[in-house]
């Protein structure tokens, strides 16, 4: 058997409380969302307090506006993430079972859908409150990578969204029948920890680069540059990681074991291409402005 890593003995539930019929469980995934929102909010408020970072040394909105905007963004993530999963990944199933579309507690969220939901919510909010849309996009782009990193780490703890089978020394033996359903593997099946690849690329590396450009080089003064870097950086990171990530089960067939959808690309890669293109356009525009 090749030298691989066993999945760590960690529960997806941080703690549980039961009092009579009342039961409460805090999952690592929920904690990742909460922590990501809190840290993102803190980063935004710190940046808004530093007038030197912004065009004409003027922040695009107030601290009170951020608190109000947060509610819109949370709704955008939930609604967009769910509708994205329904439309991109299982349209035929939910067309036949439309009553299940709002049942988000059953699982099924799409990052690309959540991203579109945030874009729509921020666009509407900026128009209603006369906020510069490019500066708002830059602000949100700075705050997002930390949430992505924590979310992907929670995916790893939950032993979900794992990668393709691998014999690399850092490959992980994930628990569960689906994770162990590998062809031509006589022993335990190890897989790429693709969740950690994503946490490192689209979270730690991309987020660190954005913070460096914002605080050291005052990149917010070039409106749209940070938003473009985030779009292109996330899209490229996701496109690369998809080569190591297990395709979604609904796309895998005996004739298509790699689960590709168009031009030998996975659904994640296909949805990442517009993000890369749009991000590059924003960066070029910011540089010319």
């Amino acid at each position: 058997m090749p030298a691989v890593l066993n999945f760590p003995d960690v529960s997806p539930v941080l703690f549980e409380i039961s009092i009579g019929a009342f039961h409460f469980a805090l999952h690592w995934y929920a904690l990742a969302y909460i922590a990501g929102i809190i840290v993102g909010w803190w980063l935004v408020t710190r940046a808004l307090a530093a007038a030197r970072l912004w065009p004409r040394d003027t922040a695009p909105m107030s601290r009170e506006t951020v608190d109000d905007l947060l509610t819109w963004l949370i709704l955008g993530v939930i609604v967009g993430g769910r509708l994205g999963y329904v439309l991109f990944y299982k349209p035929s199933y939910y067309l036949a079972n439309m009553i299940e579309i709002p049942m988000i507690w059953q699982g099924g969220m799409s990052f690309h859908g959540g991203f579109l939901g945030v874009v729509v919510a921020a666009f509407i909010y900026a128009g209603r409150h006369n906020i510069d849309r490019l500066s708002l996009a830059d602000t949100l782009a700075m705050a997002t990578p930390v949430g992505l990193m924590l979310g992907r780490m929670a995916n790893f703890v939950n032993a979900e969204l794992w990668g393709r089978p691998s014999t690399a020394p850092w490959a992980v033996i994930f628990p569960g029948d689906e994770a162990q359903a590998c062809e031509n593997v006589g022993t335990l099946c190890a897989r790429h920890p693709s969740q950690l690849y994503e946490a490192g690329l689209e979270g730690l590396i991309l987020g660190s680069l954005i913070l460096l450009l914002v605080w050291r080089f005052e990149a917010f003064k070039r409106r749209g540059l940070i938003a473009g870097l985030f779009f292109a950086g996330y899209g490229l990171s996701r496109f690369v990681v998809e080569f190591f990530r297990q395709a979604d089960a609904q796309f895998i067939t005996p004739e298509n074991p790699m689960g590709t959808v168009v031009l030998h690309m996975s659904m994640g890669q296909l949805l990442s291409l517009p993000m890369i293109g749009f991000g590059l356009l924003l960066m070029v525009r910011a540089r010319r402005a």
Side-chain angles (χ1 to χ4, degrees), residues 225-250:
L225 178 63
I226 294 300
L229 175 60
F230 171 76
F231 295 155
Y234 175 86
L236 182 60
S237 299
R238 179 67 180 269
F239 193 93
V240 171
V241 172
E242 285 288 317
F243 288 112
F244 304 95
R245 182 176 174 177
Q246 181 77 3
D248 295 281
Q250 60 267 31

Side-chain angles (χ1 to χ4, degrees), residues 39-85:
V39 175
W41 172 86
W42 178 79
L43 288 172
V44 169
T45 55
R46 285 288 305 275
L48 292 176
R52 66 176 179 85
L53 300 178
W54 304 95
R56 298 181 296 278
D57 295 331
T58 303
M61 54 187 169
S62 66
R63 162 77 176 273
E64 292 72 22
T65 303
V66 175
D67 297 339
D68 188 28
L69 172 63
L70 188 60
T71 303
W72 284 65
L73 298 181
I74 292 174
L75 290 175
V77 168
I78 295 174
V79 175
R82 184 57 170 177
L83 292 180
Y85 181 79

Side-chain angles (χ1 to χ4, degrees), residues 18-40:
S18 295
I19 303 176
F22 173 79
H23 180 76
F24 173 79
L26 179 61
H27 291 250
W28 284 105
Y29 197 75
L31 183 62
Y33 262 89
I34 295 170
I37 291 172
I38 292 174
V39 175

Side-chain angles (χ1 to χ4, degrees), residues 1-279:
M1 181 176 178
V4 293
L5 302 175
N6 288 314
F7 187 77
D9 184 16
V10 56
S11 171
V13 179
L14 180 59
F15 68 84
E16 299 179 79
I17 298 177
S18 295
I19 303 176
F22 173 79
H23 180 76
F24 173 79
L26 179 61
H27 291 250
W28 284 105
Y29 197 75
L31 183 62
Y33 262 89
I34 295 170
I37 291 172
I38 292 174
V39 175
W41 172 86
W42 178 79
L43 288 172
V44 169
T45 55
R46 285 288 305 275
L48 292 176
R52 66 176 179 85
L53 300 178
W54 304 95
R56 298 181 296 278
D57 295 331
T58 303
M61 54 187 169
S62 66
R63 162 77 176 273
E64 292 72 22
T65 303
V66 175
D67 297 339
D68 188 28
L69 172 63
L70 188 60
T71 303
W72 284 65
L73 298 181
I74 292 174
L75 290 175
V77 168
I78 295 174
V79 175
R82 184 57 170 177
L83 292 180
Y85 181 79
V86 170
L87 297 175
F88 299 150
Y89 292 93
K90 288 188 175 181
S92 58
Y93 174 82
Y94 285 104
L95 185 62
N97 301 274
M98 298 185 66
I99 194 173
E100 295 186 23
I101 292 178
M103 299 180 182
I104 59 174
W105 57 88
Q106 293 183 353
M109 298 285 282
S110 163
F111 168 80
H112 294 91
F115 166 76
L116 290 175
V118 167
V119 169
V120 172
F123 187 88
I124 296 174
Y125 188 87
R128 294 184 59 176
H129 293 82
N130 197 29
I131 300 172
D132 183 84
R133 289 190 170 99
L134 284 177
S135 290
L136 178 57
D138 288 335
T139 307
L140 298 179
M142 177 194 64
T144 302
V146 63
L148 293 177
M149 180 181 69
L150 295 174
R152 295 310 182 190
M153 292 172 67
N155 289 146
F156 179 81
V157 172
N158 287 347
E160 61 187 2
L161 304 182
W162 18 257
R164 303 182 190 276
S166 172
T167 57
W170 57 86
V172 176
I173 301 174
F174 289 97
D177 294 338
E178 290 187 11
Q180 290 301 309
C182 303
E183 295 183 0
N184 303 320
V185 177
T187 57
L188 293 175
C189 175
R191 295 178 176 273
H192 284 286
S194 56
Q195 315 97 321
L196 301 184
Y197 299 171
E198 290 191 75
L201 287 175
E202 67 200 38
L204 181 61
I205 295 177
L206 180 59
S208 298
L209 177 59
I210 287 176
L211 290 176
L212 176 65
L213 291 175
V214 168
W215 289 96
R216 177 66 179 83
F217 298 100
E218 300 181 356
F220 278 161
K221 290 185 181 295
R222 291 184 178 270
R223 296 163 49 251
L225 178 63
I226 294 300
L229 175 60
F230 171 76
F231 295 155
Y234 175 86
L236 182 60
S237 299
R238 179 67 180 269
F239 193 93
V240 171
V241 172
E242 285 288 317
F243 288 112
F244 304 95
R245 182 176 174 177
Q246 181 77 3
D248 295 281
Q250 60 267 31
F251 298 121
I252 298 177
T253 64
E255 299 77 22
N256 183 24
M258 299 299 288
T260 57
V261 290
V262 176
L263 299 176
H264 302 290
M265 291 188 295
S266 68
M267 179 60 76
Q269 290 175 320
L270 186 63
L271 295 175
S272 294
L273 287 179
M275 291 190 68
I276 297 173
F278 183 62

